[in-house]
Amino acid sequence: MSLPGLLHRAGLVALVVLTTLLSILLPANVLAADRGAWAPDTAYTVGDIVSHGGKGYDCRQSHRSLVGWEPPNTPALWLERTGNPPPDTQAPSAPPSLTSTAKTHESVSLSWGAATDNVGVTGYEVFVNAGTSPSSATTGATSVTVTGLQENTTYTFTVRARDAVGNRSAPSNAHSVTTSPRPAPDTVPPTTPGALRATGVSNSSVSLTWTASTDNVGVTGYEVFVNGGSSASTTTTDATNATVTGLAANTTYLFTVKARDAAGNRSAASNSVSATTMGTPPAGSRLIVGYWHNFDNGSTNIRLRDVSPKFDVIQVAFAEPVGGPGSGRMAFTPYNASVADFKADIALLKSQGRKVLISIGGANGTVHLDNATARQDFVTTMQALIDTYGFDGLDLDLEGSSLSLNGGDTDFRNPTTPRITNVIQATRQLLNQNGPGFILTMAPETAYVQGGMAAYGGPWGAYLPVIYALRDRLTYLHVQHYNTGTVMALDGRAYAQSTPDFHVAMAEMMLLGFPVGGNPQAMFPGLRPDQVLIGLPSSPQAAGGGYTTPANVHRALDYLIMGQSFGGTYVLRNPAGYPGFKGLMTWSINWDAFTNFEFSNSHRAYLDSIR
């Protein structure tokens, strides 16, 4: 799972040994390079100097950084130095290729190429008509819409890049645009949405879908009405699906949908559809998903057949690429059993009613599906593994650079980055080949999901287009609530890992949805409660950070599932809670055995006790 490669493959013992060896072997004459403030998703080489928390650090091992790998947390990668690091005085390069992508009578949409910097570009500033103060700014996105302009007026735009210490680049090329004349008032409503139908129910929610409306200008969103109410219970932007939450169990509801446009015109109501929510989940219906190591990292070695019966879904970690990250060819070989024995172990677990999935990637298994050849090689080799071992499903545990948004890829509903679109297409093909009972799960890091609310670009939010495109076949999403920094929640506050507040806030973001990149017109729609689990380390040794005591996990779940507050800072948007919430995931089964099954024993008993 999301651990530095040293922890993930070699274990804690190897980390201590490597730290000692590096201190002995690091050349004294390595040429130091000042890289300014430490930043995630950045390539560092031996001898680089960074600053973090008011201190300077020397790079001891070349690597690409991730959130959670800050210098104080990874002594194998960084050595604290005395004195302050040199200041960063180098400005970013000028942003290239400024152009306009759309305009109205009061706004102009702009895009440009990414700038580069010796440390890292933190954002861009847009200037209008050679002004000295920026009219707009971004936190890293290479596009923006400038609003508040006059109709039928020519404006000249330039863009400058900035870094973390305030160095500002030279301006981009100047680009002139004339806004459109003000249009006549729009009084035409959209057409009526068609074919409304229910696609899923839980004990507290109903998922709906419908066909799109049209409009003389453009449909901007849809409103869902319950039981003929006069106000919408749920709204979307232009998505033609929604999940209505907060419903009573075992109750029949009647739904209709109306389309709206930017002028506020509302269509006639769609056909009505009724759906009945499920009863309250019985005890024992909640799951514990666990990852089983196919390698020795210092934790306990367990034969697959000997996994504790308290785990309902077992993720075999990992299938990894051969021939380099971009080949697409995947391989898996059991490390502690013959192929025949491993197949027999899987068959035994399945006979017990448990599911066994093959997990793809992990911290070290970088997968790059950059073209059609790599995509087809991925599908072919993964299907061969599924057929050989009889796996029940597929888990996408894509970390590091496996998923990253290219510059200009700004709409999670219509991604353009090949590395992302090929993963979506390959996964969809495997789902279709293996039938409706084939399970799909995902285990992204918070930066790649909830982190997309604060910023969308590069790694931030890079999993969102994958989740969105495959949500109709997604069985379980269990975001890793560990090895992460603080993350902003729906209430605008940032919460730290290992706390009940963090687990409740991060889970509700996936249940209710959130504005991607802070844009209320780009709402990521929430998932059903039965699709969402919380991912946790099974022991302090299992992750670099994020371990949460069983008592605090249960406080979080009491609130999240039953609405029983523990008195924390975060307040549920749905005060009744989410009774259909599915359960917990852990990295890992092996580390759980290492600590005498603290995780599986305590959480299995808790989950079985609540309704």
Side-chain angles (χ1 to χ4, degrees):
M1 301 297 291
S2 174
L3 304 172
L6 300 172
L7 288 174
H8 199 59
R9 282 293 191 193
L12 297 176
V13 174
L15 177 60
V16 174
V17 172
L18 182 57
T19 302
T20 304
L21 289 175
L22 286 170
S23 66
I24 296 171
L25 300 176
L26 190 65
N29 61 349
V30 171
L31 181 62
D34 170 36
R35 301 295 302 279
W38 179 92
D41 196 34
T42 302
Y44 291 107
T45 59
V46 173
D48 283 348
I49 301 170
V50 299
S51 61
H52 185 78
K55 297 180 180 180
Y57 295 88
D58 292 309
C59 182
R60 310 178 75 178
Q61 179 182 218
S62 298
H63 65 285
R64 177 170 287 277
S65 60
L66 289 176
V67 173
W69 293 20
E70 292 85 347
N73 299 337
T74 51
L77 302 178
W78 297 100
L79 176 66
E80 185 177 343
R81 62 190 283 123
T82 59
N84 295 320
D88 175 15
T89 59
Q90 182 173 331
S93 64
S97 307
L98 174 62
T99 188
S100 56
T101 57
K103 66 179 181 179
T104 70
H105 68 283
E106 60 183 2
S107 68
V108 170
S109 296
L110 303 168
S111 68
W112 56 89
T116 59
D117 187 64
N118 64 316
V119 176
V121 173
T122 59
Y124 298 89
E125 298 172 332
V126 179
F127 296 83
V128 181
N129 293 340
T132 57
S133 299
S135 66
S136 303
T138 78
T139 57
T142 55
S143 62
V144 75
T145 297
V146 182
T147 59
L149 305 179
Q150 298 295 315
E151 63 175 304
N152 201 27
T153 302
T154 299
Y155 294 89
T156 300
F157 303 92
T158 56
V159 176
R160 294 177 185 260
R162 64 178 185 276
D163 61 21
V165 297
N167 296 314
R168 182 184 284 171
S169 75
S172 68
N173 60 292
H175 183 73
S176 296
V177 183
T178 301
T179 54
S180 306
R182 183 179 296 274
D186 177 15
T187 60
V188 179
T191 61
T192 304
L196 175 64
R197 62 192 185 279
T199 58
V201 298
S202 73
N203 63 315
S204 62
S205 68
V206 172
S207 295
L208 303 165
T209 188
W210 55 88
T211 57
S213 300
T214 60
D215 187 66
N216 64 317
V217 177
V219 174
T220 58
Y222 298 88
E223 299 171 326
V224 180
F225 296 84
V226 180
N227 293 339
S230 59
S231 59
S233 67
T234 303
T235 62
T236 76
T237 52
D238 58 354
T240 56
N241 56 74
T243 297
V244 182
T245 59
L247 305 178
N250 199 29
T251 303
T252 299
Y253 292 90
L254 190 69
F255 302 93
T256 56
V257 175
K258 296 182 179 182
R260 65 177 185 275
D261 62 20
N265 299 308
R266 181 184 284 171
S267 75
S270 70
N271 61 293
S272 60
V273 64
S274 65
T276 303
T277 54
M278 299 169 60
T280 301
S285 66
R286 293 180 176 83
L287 302 180
I288 298 181
V289 178
Y291 283 76
W292 174 89
H293 304 176
N294 189 49
F295 49 84
D296 182 358
N297 71 342
S299 61
T300 301
N301 293 324
I302 306 173
R303 277 286 300 272
L304 192 64
R305 65 173 49 238
D306 296 326
V307 169
S308 166
K310 295 178 173 62
F311 289 96
D312 305 287
V313 179
I314 295 94
Q315 306 275 17
V316 173
F318 294 99
E320 297 178 321
V322 293
S327 73
R329 297 188 301 275
M330 306 297 290
F332 171 82
T333 304
Y335 94 104
N336 66 346
S338 68
V339 171
D341 287 341
F342 201 75
K343 291 168 65 175
D345 287 359
I346 292 175
L348 175 63
L349 294 177
K350 293 171 68 170
S351 73
Q352 298 167 354
R354 298 196 273 174
K355 302 297 184 182
V356 184
L357 282 63
I358 180 66
S359 182
I360 295 168
N364 294 326
T366 303
V367 180
H368 292 169
L369 303 185
D370 290 321
N371 52 56
T373 299
R375 181 182 72 232
Q376 189 54 52
D377 285 345
F378 176 87
V379 171
T380 300
T381 53
M382 283 307 305
Q383 187 63 59
L385 293 176
I386 293 165
D387 293 340
T388 297
Y389 292 99
F391 290 115
D392 292 300
L394 182 70
D395 174 62
L396 300 181
D397 184 8
L398 301 174
E399 302 181 18
S401 63
S402 292
L403 292 182
S404 184
L405 294 157
N406 290 349
D409 191 350
T410 59
D411 183 0
F412 70 89
R413 295 155 297 197
N414 299 286
T416 58
T417 302
R419 192 168 295 177
I420 289 174
T421 58
N422 283 321
V423 163
I424 293 170
Q425 293 173 28
T427 304
R428 178 72 69 179
Q429 185 173 342
L430 287 168
L431 291 169
N432 291 340
Q433 289 175 186
N434 290 280
F438 195 68
I439 295 172
L440 173 64
T441 64
M442 301 182 195
E445 300 164 277
T446 55
Y448 293 76
V449 186
Q450 292 95 334
M453 184 172 76
Y456 187 66
W460 302 103
Y463 242 98
L464 294 178
V466 180
I467 299 169
Y468 181 79
L470 299 170
R471 61 187 289 122
D472 64 312
R473 288 296 308 274
L474 177 65
T475 312
Y476 308 126
L477 176 78
H478 27 67
V479 177
Q480 302 173 31
H481 286 197
Y482 49 91
N483 290 343
T484 179
T486 58
V487 184
M488 184 179 295
L490 293 173
D491 61 0
R493 294 185 175 95
Y495 292 93
Q497 63 183 353
S498 304
T499 64
D501 273 328
F502 183 83
H503 300 310
V504 174
M506 293 301 101
E508 193 170 42
M509 287 183 73
M510 303 317 304
L511 295 165
L512 292 184
F514 52 87
V516 177
N519 179 6
Q521 301 305 314
M523 288 293 297
F524 180 80
L527 300 173
R528 302 189 313 271
D530 62 282
Q531 291 178 295
V532 182
L533 298 88
I534 290 174
L536 297 166
S538 59
S539 71
Q541 299 89 343
Y547 171 76
T548 309
T549 64
N552 276 334
V553 174
H554 298 166
R555 290 186 184 98
L557 292 177
D558 283 346
Y559 192 22
L560 187 62
I561 296 173
M562 297 178 286
Q564 297 175 3
S565 175
F566 53 87
T569 302
Y570 184 80
V571 177
L572 278 175
R573 271 42 185 169
N574 181 21
Y578 302 89
F581 191 79
K582 201 61 182 174
L584 300 172
M585 172 276 280
T586 189
W587 178 267
S588 66
I589 291 170
N590 307 62
W591 282 115
D592 183 44
F594 181 84
T595 53
N596 200 29
F597 307 102
E598 177 197 67
F599 186 95
S600 57
N601 285 341
S602 61
H603 296 314
R604 181 75 276 162
Y606 170 84
L607 291 173
D608 287 348
S609 72
I610 59 176
R611 298 187 65 84

